[in-house]
Amino acid sequence: MEARNVKAFGANAADAPLKELMINRRGVGAEDVAIEILYCGICHSDLHYARDEWHDAMPTVYPCVPGHEIVGRLTEVGSAVTKFKTGDLVGVGCLVDSDRTCPNCQAGLEQFCPNFTLTYGSPDKHTGGVTYGGYSESVVVDERFVLRVPENLDPAGVAPLLCAGITTYSPLRHWKVGPGKKVGIVGLGGLGHMGVKFAHAFGAHVVVFTTSPGKKDDALRLGADEVVVSTNPDEMQKHAGTFDFILDAVSAEHDLNAYINLLKIDGNLTMVGAPEKPLRIAVFPLLFGRRSVSGSPIGGLPETQEMLDFCGEHGITADVEVIPVQQVNEAYERLLKSDVKYRFTIDMSSLKAE
Ligand SMILES: [Zn+2]
Ligand SMILES: [Zn+2]
């Protein structure tokens, strides 16, 4: 297949709504596959990028097309492709390339490659422009960055696994969450609800922290063993010094110290949300307890495949609200109010209907 123009949905300026536009996709190279996109999840990063809110770190190039939670079917494979055949159900997450030679790439930790190519907003080595994400009819990706999606899962619910899923799966695995471990999940949004599902599936005792008492029933349904309303100091104090691990999925400013005090000796709190401003951390509770605070971004390709396979075996998908692409702007507004259970997924066939 030669390079061609395809329909996409994107923004032409930071203050402009997303709308239909045409973008160019490269031809299928020997090691590439072409994917017809069925579903694309909406990640909070999409909104930040579309509105140029990460200007200092990664200025948005317009027109921009977000989307890094892609599920689709292979329509074409390059002559040297070995992993896939036409018709396969596949996924693409936050990365579409890396240098493949650095120690991190060699270790399958492409998320730490200093030269990775993001699915959207990175310089595109092939076209010379910028990469365009999954709010689109189709995409061409090197097979190394394409994941196999279990056929038994609902593809709409699989899409968010490619970012929200691996972002929570990876630190839970890294910190060896499993049977006998007491694990806290802070915040029950797109990330948090996946954290609950995975921690529960790994066999841990799962405690959800939320500021909204109304989320209790839902937290229990998702797999929590207990729910703590974090604004109640007495409820918090009951759990002091008892957690092996806490996954903090809150992006808004909040008090980490309240959670650090809940960790056991050698307990760890890992941040997967990204508050804009620096947080204040009291050091004494870290010293007296040898506790640690860390962060974690997405995951490498091998671990992302492991996560998808795990989801296939355990029937795990994200809880999604499926929308047509024409409702993306409205979905962004609702995302800002956390008005979604728990992730929007765009049915990309709606783009063809335009
Ligand atoms: Zn994301
Ligand atoms: Zn690398």
Side-chain angles (χ1 to χ4, degrees):
M1 190 177 79
E2 297 302 305
R4 60 184 184 125
N5 292 323
V6 303
K7 281 188 191 176
F9 217 77
N12 281 314
D15 57 357
L18 278 71
K19 64 182 184 71
E20 191 185 320
L21 43 84
M22 298 299 286
I23 55 169
N24 191 260
R25 293 295 192 192
R26 72 176 189 255
V28 177
E31 296 174 338
D32 288 339
V33 300
I35 302 166
E36 179 197 5
I37 300 174
L38 302 176
Y39 293 97
C40 185
I42 295 182
C43 176
H44 215 115
S45 309
D46 299 356
L47 187 159
H48 288 302
Y49 178 67
R51 298 183 177 178
D52 200 16
E53 291 172 354
W54 288 337
H55 186 85
D56 294 340
M58 179 186 164
T60 302
V61 178
Y62 294 97
C64 77
V65 176
H68 60 204
E69 296 182 337
I70 299 168
V71 172
R73 289 250 175 230
L74 286 198
T75 52
E76 194 181 336
V77 298
S79 55
V81 166
T82 56
K83 276 166 62 186
F84 300 102
K85 59 181 192 311
T86 303
D88 285 352
L89 187 65
V90 296
V92 176
C94 301
L95 303 176
V96 288
D97 210 346
S98 68
D99 61 22
R100 306 170 194 186
T101 53
C102 77
N104 297 321
C105 285
Q106 301 276 306
L109 299 169
E110 294 86 355
Q111 74 270 38
F112 303 124
C113 177
N115 302 303
F116 61 43
T117 304
L118 294 168
T119 301
Y120 58 81
S122 275
D124 188 323
K125 291 179 209 170
H126 303 271
T127 65
V130 71
T131 52
Y132 295 122
Y135 298 6
S136 166
E137 285 180 281
S138 62
V139 63
V140 176
V141 183
D142 187 294
E143 69 163 332
R144 290 177 189 81
F145 288 79
V146 176
L147 290 312
R148 195 171 294 284
V149 170
E151 289 278 352
N152 62 315
L153 298 175
D154 169 22
V158 168
L161 299 178
L162 277 310
C163 176
I166 187 60
T167 296
T168 49
Y169 182 95
S170 182
L172 289 167
R173 281 293 194 219
H174 179 78
W175 292 95
K176 301 188 168 43
V177 164
K181 296 286 172 74
K182 185 172 173 182
V183 173
I185 308 288
V186 187
L188 199 60
L191 289 168
H193 98 289
M194 287 312 308
V196 174
K197 290 188 185 205
F198 285 133
H200 174 73
F202 295 166
H205 182 87
V206 184
V207 181
V208 166
F209 295 96
T210 175
T211 53
S212 340
K215 284 189 175 173
K216 183 168 179 181
D217 288 347
D218 231 23
L220 296 172
R221 176 184 64 80
L222 292 165
D225 297 287
E226 293 179 63
V227 181
V228 172
V229 177
S230 55
T231 48
N232 182 333
D234 293 340
E235 261 194 77
M236 292 289 278
Q237 191 52 36
K238 270 188 235 161
H239 292 270
T242 62
F243 280 86
D244 296 282
F245 179 72
I246 296 177
L247 186 74
D248 186 333
V250 175
S251 296
E253 218 174 320
H254 62 295
D255 179 23
L256 278 196
N257 301 298
Y259 296 102
I260 292 168
N261 284 322
L262 305 187
L263 294 170
K264 277 183 187 169
I265 308 298
D266 286 328
N268 171 269
L269 180 147
T270 291
M271 310 271 311
V272 290
E276 215 175 307
K277 290 188 190 135
L279 299 168
R280 296 178 67 85
I281 293 178
V283 173
F284 275 113
L286 293 179
L287 301 180
F288 294 97
R290 202 162 54 190
R291 296 154 167 151
S292 60
V293 173
S294 56
S296 182
I298 53 171
L301 272 297
E303 193 173 47
T304 306
Q305 188 61 64
E306 177 195 307
M307 181 262 321
L308 288 168
D309 295 343
F310 181 87
C311 287
E313 282 159 33
H314 296 263
I316 294 173
T317 53
D319 286 20
V320 293
E321 179 176 335
V322 180
I323 60 163
V325 74
Q326 293 80 5
Q327 283 174 21
V328 162
N329 295 297
E330 194 189 323
Y332 277 13
E333 292 311 312
R334 287 181 53 197
L335 194 59
L336 289 172
K337 291 181 268 183
S338 303
D339 175 24
V340 56
K341 284 183 175 173
Y342 281 91
R343 202 80 159 171
F344 288 109
T345 291
I346 307 166
D347 177 353
M348 213 47 74
S349 65
S350 57
L351 187 58
K352 283 194 189 128
E354 277 277 295

